[in-house]
Every structure is written in C-alpha cells, then in structure tokens.
Amino acid sequence: MKLHEYRSKLLFSKCGVPIPRGRVALTAHEAKTIARELGGPVVIKAQVLVGGRGKAGGIRLVHTPEEAEEAARQILGMQIKGLPVRKVLVDEVAEIRSEIYLGVTNDRAARCPVMIASAEGGIDIEEVARTHPEKIVRIHIDPLLGLREYQARHLAVSIELPRVHWRNFIDIACGLYKAFTVSDATLAEINPLVITGDNRLLALDGKMVLDDNALFRQPDLAEMRDLDEETPTEREARRYGLSYVKLDGTIGCMVNGAGLAMASMDVINSFGAQPANFLDIGGGAGAEKVAAALHLILKDANVQAVMINIFGGITRCDEVARGILATLDEFKSDIPMVARLVGTNEEEGNKLLAEANVITATSLTDAAEKVVALAVESQLQ
Ligand code: GDP
Ligand code: MN
C-alpha cells in the first residue's frame, strides 16, 4: 500500500526529518486560505500515487493566494496517469540549491534493509541507476543494530555532501530509517532532499510503501488507504480474486497458477513475442471468474491474440471452457484464441471450445507457437 506525499512527509516529520510548512487541501478555496496563512510563494502539488507529477503538470509554483486558488482548481480537475487528483498539498516554496536522493528499502538478497543515497536527486532514481550507477551509494543496515551514525556519515561523505550538513544529514537518515521501521514500510524515500538557499536540508518530497502483510498491526496507517490508488483494471481484478499485472506486449495470457503463468510468458517470449499481461486465475476458478479474467484481457487494446493455458486439477477444464464461451457470447471478439487445457475434464472442455472455434493446443509449446503465429498474422491483415 502506497502513502500519499503529505502523509509520508508527516510521518517523516514525526521522526525528526525537516519538511516544508504546508497543509493538504480538498478544494481550491482551501488552497487559497492555506497559501494566505503561509504567506509568500507556495507550491501546489497533486496528491496522486504516481511518480513524475511535475512533468505531468501536477506541480505548480505560484506567488499569490489568488494564483494558488487558480492553480489548485486546475490541478484538482486533472487526471494524472489515469488517477484523478482529489487533494493538493500546499507547501511553502523552498529555494533549491541542490537535490539529493535518500531512500531505504529491503534488500532481499542481502536479507536486510539497505539505505541508498545519491547526489543526483530530484529525478527518477531508477534512471540514475541506469545511466550513472557509480553515483549511487548503498549501505546495508543490521536490523538488530539499526542504522549507525558512522554509516550515515559514510553516505554523506560518499555523495560529497558539504561538511556543514553532515550533522543534519545523519539525523535525517536516522529519522527516515525510524519512519521506515516503525511503519513496517517496504520503502521510505525522500526525493529530493534539498539543500536550500539558506543552507538547510529539507525533505521536499516523500514516498512510502507499506507492507500489506503488516497492516493488521498498523491500524492507523491501514485507514489511510486511497481507493483511487488502483487503476480500474486492477480494482476489477482484485474484486474477482485474480492476480493481474498489465504488461506492454501483445499476447494476452490466462493461466492458473503463478509459476505456470510465468513459464507461459517465458515460452511466448522464446517464440519472439511479448506477453500483454501476467494473469493467474488461481486454483478452482469457476466459469464466472474465468469470464472476468478474459474480460480484463480483451479490454486491453494492445492484445492481438490470447493464450489460455490451464492445468486442470481442482480447476475443471469444462468450467474454464464455459467461462470462455460465456465471454465470447457477450463480447463477439474476433481476437484469435488458443487454448491448452489438460487435466480434469479436459475432453469435455476441449470439445466445448472446438465447437466455438477456439483453437486448441496439445502442449504449452504448441500453444505458444500457434498464438504467436496468429498474432503475427493478425498484424499483417
Ligand atoms: P515528483 O515529480 O512527483 O517526484 O514530485 P517532487 O515533489 O519530487 O517535485 C518535482 C520537482 O518539482 C522537484 O524536483 C523540484 O525541482 C520541483 N519542486 C517541488 N517543490 C519545490 C519547491 O518548493 N521549490 C522549488 N523551487 N521547486 C520545487
Ligand atoms: Mn520526487
């Protein structure tokens, strides 16, 4: 579960991290009032759970309360990457001398938290990792000892932070680590942590991702879930208990079992095509769930062909076939489909599909080869 910038920054602030003065507003009028209280120029920031808000026009610097109202009105009417903006943060403007990245997450391979810092803050840290990996510094944290001061100092030295800021930087790093641990977070990030014109360190942006499996013991944080966080597709998938992740390829995939789904995607890949999604319909899926899954796949405009790969154990192949047929009845889709059904009730399932002109396959490889060929064909037409 992701937390909004303003919530993350408040949590950081409680742990001693300095943040700009400011408050969140639900209306343009409220934004104006806050801007007047703060006095002077303010920054209006869309509170949506995606990155790159600046580029999308969701962050505006303004000089007067009237301008703040107008900017807030515009931003509150926006959608950023498909998510509606329902709140804006009104913060006092900071003069930025330089932008630092500071974050903490778990390093699964090392089995402990890792703190990451870079002098190249402000932009996407993934981008820095790609283009200038040498500009990223990491230290691993012993979960029993916590972050030690010398480790934070090592980070400060490694990113060539001027010496006057070391003391504050160490306190901020320790505060961020504390916020990370007390919230059961999987990510706590300040990007950018800025050096201001008057030579202070200030967390201008904040991001937190909480461990969903720990929310049971974080009732206060669990209440902060933003229902707009999920895209409509993800929400629908969750409603039907489907594990769905949208990808960029052209082959829609419907599979039961996460491992089989991953394997199916790899085999599609080996035939030179890319999967349009990861989708695990889970064990024992009935016709209704299968139909919901196929809906999700067919709604994706990139999909040129669909591969269905079902290993019937508790899941019955005839039920799956019925789900597919029900969807086809309703959708009248001309997207070609290949199904490989094996296991419980496979004869009946395959018979049903053959009657509906769904191409059947005998093995995963056979299915992948056929579906990729059909996708190529459909593109040529
Ligand atoms: P993100 O793009 O969604 O990560 O949003 P950020 O909060 O990181 O803001 C993006 C950029 O907007 C920052 O890197 C700054 O360059 C700029 N920005 C945000 N707040 C301020 C501010 O108070 N003063 C100035 N001058 N720029 C700001
Ligand atoms: Mn940012």
Side-chain angles (χ1 to χ4, degrees), residues 252-256 279 281 290 293-294 297 307-310 324:
C253 301
M254 176 156 74
V255 189
N256 65 331
L279 175 57
I281 62 169
V290 170
L294 197 51
I297 295 176
M307 182 173 93
I308 297 151
N309 183 20
I310 301 295
I324 296 170

Side-chain angles (χ1 to χ4, degrees), residues 43 45 51-54 59 61 92-94 96 99 122 191-192 204-205:
V43 55
K45 308 178 79 175
R53 294 167 301 166
I59 297 180
L61 265 60
E92 66 181 349
V93 163
I96 300 176
E99 298 186 298
N191 189 24
L204 278 207
D205 191 11

Side-chain angles (χ1 to χ4, degrees), residues 207-218:
K207 179 175 173 184
M208 281 189 110
V209 182
L210 307 178
D211 184 347
D212 287 331
N213 294 314
L215 286 178
F216 74 94
R217 61 179 191 187
Q218 299 281 0

Side-chain angles (χ1 to χ4, degrees), residues 7 14 28-29 31 56-57 61 70 104 120 139 154 156 165 201 209 224 245 260 273 300 324 355 363 374-375:
R7 306 247 203 217
K14 278 188 192 150
H29 181 74
L61 265 60
E70 184 49 31
V104 49
E120 304 287 313
I139 41 151
H154 171 74
H165 298 299
L201 287 178
V209 182
M224 295 179 184
V245 180
L260 191 58
D300 178 349
I324 296 170
E355 282 166 16
S363 69
L374 286 167

